[in-house]
Amino acid sequence: MTTDEHGLAMTGASAAAARHYDRAIHELLHFRAEVDAEATAALADSPGFPMGNVLAAYLDLLTTEAADARSARTRFDAFRRQADESSLLPRERAHLAAVQALLDGDLTACGALLAEITVAHPRDALALATGHQIDFFTGDARSLRDRVGGALTAWHDDDRHYGHLLGMYAFGLEEAGHYDRSEEVGLRAVELNRRDVWGIHAVVHTYEMQGRFGEGVRYLDARLDDWSTGTFFNVHTWWHYALYALETGDTSRALGVYDAALAGGRTSMELLDAAALLWRLLLEGSDQPGRWRALADAWPPLVAEPFYAFNDVHAVMAYVGAGRIGEAEKLVASREAYALESRPGVTNVAMTSRVGLPVCRALVAYGRGDFGAVVDLLYPIRHRVNEFGGSHAQRDAVQKTLLEAALRGGRHEVARALVSERIGVRPCSPFNWLKQAALADALGDRATAAAARRRATTLTTTA
């Protein structure tokens, strides 16, 4: 019997396979593509290696793409048919159950099983990393914070992956609203490992949530070589960079980032970042027909069947942005039929019914100029949009759509409340003050509009 580098026993692995597994976990925590080669090498050496098969399944399932999930099912079913599960260690059997829950579409059960593993084995880096992503996919801020927080005292400063845990913990703290603590922990994570892109990402989120866009740009600029290449996460971090540019009204800079880093994406994770950026520009009146067309062309194979509502919403953004309302409506109709099917335990059904469909319908209504319908669809669900996953920063596209529809549709009372909420939380955001100015213009209050614009200008120039 072998052990992984964190001291956890593993069956069915040669010494070489165990080292490949360790290297795979190391690459996974760095979000580097080399994780696939190391995982493959582990199974090539020891095909029946349980944790190697578990790792391979998680890697496919975490892409949130149906085709990868089918591949994972085929390989994992073949492994289980030949495995003697009664001879496996309890931790290994627990991972098999977690993978099976994920294959069955039950993200909640998978997350709970991984949490049990973490309580019993807090140094199981794979359980922590996978559980962290499940919490992200389900928008569970409390678990994003406490899953890792509950394991931290079992780790030590000299563990080479301790910093990565701090990076995960920082993100959970940010999503749970603990911004000061998140910044402190995130900065420490990056101090321990300057190429911890998830830790860098956590700090960036903290600045985003506080409207500290100037600090965010400077932080990313100072660490450009550490996050901008060599990982499959660099596109998402560039997206954050573009959000900072949009906060200052620098559309040309945001589009430069889009063309250099986001355009031409092929995975769901890349395409949704592209759609989310272009949608924010659309809300501000910046049409990008050529960019929208190319993006809309890339989505159909990835949403041909229901799998993850968060992806569906971004595909609809692309279709609406490209003026393909018919394609957007067709996708909505397919998800309406899906939501009516009996699929016990499939988390995505509830995500689709409770959040995905109302948001998709609202996006289509926005494309048609029916702003009253957008408000009617989004206002009732605005405090539970987290249920279909993503981060606060990502879901803000939905909140901004609601606000812009309220302004354009003359729902001034709703718009006033929404703007007031935003200013209260992020008073240093130029965007929020510009929306205050737009509302004041609509109400004929020139003095308030002028004051709000001066405030936005001051914040932009002094950031």
Side-chain angles (χ1 to χ4, degrees):
M1 187 176 295
T2 58
T3 61
D4 70 11
E5 71 170 284
H6 301 300
L8 298 173
M10 301 187 295
T11 62
S14 68
R19 299 295 75 79
H20 282 301
Y21 175 86
D22 286 338
R23 286 195 288 269
I25 298 300
H26 185 69
E27 300 300 339
L28 175 63
L29 294 174
H30 282 88
F31 288 81
R32 292 196 287 243
E34 289 82 356
V35 60
D36 290 324
E38 292 294 346
T40 299
L43 290 179
D45 188 274
S46 299
F49 173 23
M51 289 306 298
N53 281 276
V54 163
L55 169 62
Y58 285 143
L59 291 177
D60 274 343
L61 290 164
L62 294 179
T63 68
T64 72
E65 294 185 9
D68 291 334
R70 283 193 295 272
S71 297
R73 179 178 299 280
T74 297
R75 290 196 299 270
F76 198 70
D77 285 351
F79 161 71
R80 294 198 75 172
R81 283 194 298 270
Q82 56 82 35
D84 177 10
E85 296 186 18
S86 65
S87 68
L88 303 186
L89 299 170
R91 181 178 73 95
E92 294 171 330
R93 290 198 296 272
H95 268 292
L96 296 189
V99 170
Q100 192 61 55
L102 199 50
L103 285 168
D104 293 340
D106 195 338
L107 276 70
T108 302
C110 177
L113 288 165
L114 288 167
E116 292 177 7
I117 294 172
T118 295
V119 169
H121 305 279
R123 291 174 60 77
D124 187 331
L126 180 59
L128 283 164
T130 304
H132 189 66
Q133 291 303 310
I134 295 297
D135 295 335
F136 174 70
F137 293 152
T138 56
D140 188 341
R142 180 178 295 176
S143 191
L144 275 168
R145 179 193 65 194
D146 293 345
R147 181 187 300 273
V148 180
L152 273 175
T153 57
W155 293 71
H156 310 287
D157 287 352
D158 58 354
D159 288 322
R160 72 166 175 161
H161 294 145
Y162 177 67
H164 293 90
L165 260 71
L166 291 181
M168 288 189 276
Y169 188 46
F171 181 66
L173 288 166
E174 175 273 317
E175 288 296 293
H178 307 288
Y179 300 134
D180 290 346
R181 180 65 175 143
S182 172
E183 181 181 4
E184 176 188 0
V185 174
L187 291 174
R188 175 58 177 158
V190 180
E191 178 185 335
L192 289 172
N193 181 357
R194 65 184 181 83
R195 297 190 67 84
D196 179 2
V197 292
W198 193 257
I200 291 171
H201 163 258
V203 175
V204 168
H205 266 272
T206 296
Y207 292 154
E208 165 73 17
M209 287 299 98
Q210 298 175 87
R212 295 162 63 187
F213 56 93
E215 287 177 83
V217 168
R218 290 188 289 273
Y219 184 77
L220 287 176
D221 281 343
R223 290 155 185 80
L224 186 66
D225 292 341
D226 296 330
W227 62 264
S228 62
T229 61
T231 81
F232 51 78
F233 202 63
N234 64 302
V235 169
H236 183 69
T237 311
W238 275 118
W239 175 78
H240 279 283
Y241 198 105
L243 292 192
Y244 290 141
L246 288 182
E247 185 68 57
T248 68
D250 193 345
T251 298
S252 62
R253 191 177 191 184
L255 286 174
V257 170
Y258 183 91
D259 292 337
L262 276 68
R266 287 293 175 264
T267 68
S268 294
M269 290 185 286
E270 293 170 340
L271 295 178
L272 69 85
D273 282 336
L277 180 57
L278 291 185
W279 187 261
R280 284 166 169 80
L281 287 166
L282 182 147
L283 292 176
E284 296 307 302
S286 178
D287 293 327
Q288 303 296 326
R291 293 180 174 92
W292 275 123
R293 282 195 299 271
L295 183 58
D297 287 344
W299 269 110
L302 298 177
V303 290
E305 59 187 286
F307 193 72
Y308 186 42
F310 195 72
N311 292 347
D312 295 339
V313 163
H314 289 83
V316 169
M317 284 182 187
Y319 295 149
V320 172
R324 301 178 187 176
I325 299 296
E327 288 183 59
E329 291 179 327
K330 183 178 179 181
L331 179 57
V332 170
S334 74
R335 297 321 186 242
E336 288 172 340
Y338 164 76
L340 294 175
E341 297 174 6
S342 178
R343 295 173 180 264
V346 177
T347 307
N348 189 56
V349 173
M351 286 181 171
T352 299
S353 299
R354 288 176 54 80
V355 180
L357 276 171
V359 175
C360 286
R361 291 174 183 137
L363 296 173
V364 173
Y366 194 95
R368 292 190 176 281
D370 189 352
F371 302 119
V374 176
V375 176
D376 291 341
L377 285 161
L378 294 185
Y379 194 79
I381 68 166
R382 67 193 183 102
H383 291 314
R384 56 180 171 86
V385 176
N386 64 293
E387 292 179 8
F388 80 151
S391 65
H392 291 301
Q394 289 175 307
R395 296 187 299 267
D396 200 35
V398 177
Q399 308 297 349
K400 286 184 172 181
T401 302
L402 170 59
L403 172 55
E404 192 60 32
L407 288 169
R408 295 190 181 203
R411 304 284 283 272
H412 296 145
E413 297 84 357
V414 172
R416 184 210 59 78
L418 296 174
V419 170
S420 183
E421 288 175 6
R422 295 183 73 93
I423 288 176
V425 173
R426 279 184 274 188
C428 56
S429 164
F431 173 89
N432 293 340
W433 288 102
L434 288 174
K435 293 306 167 183
Q436 172 80 331
L439 175 61
D441 283 336
L443 297 173
D445 186 348
R446 294 182 179 179
T448 297
R453 286 193 176 88
R454 286 195 298 271
R455 179 65 171 157
T457 300
T458 299
L459 290 169
T460 300
T461 55
T462 59

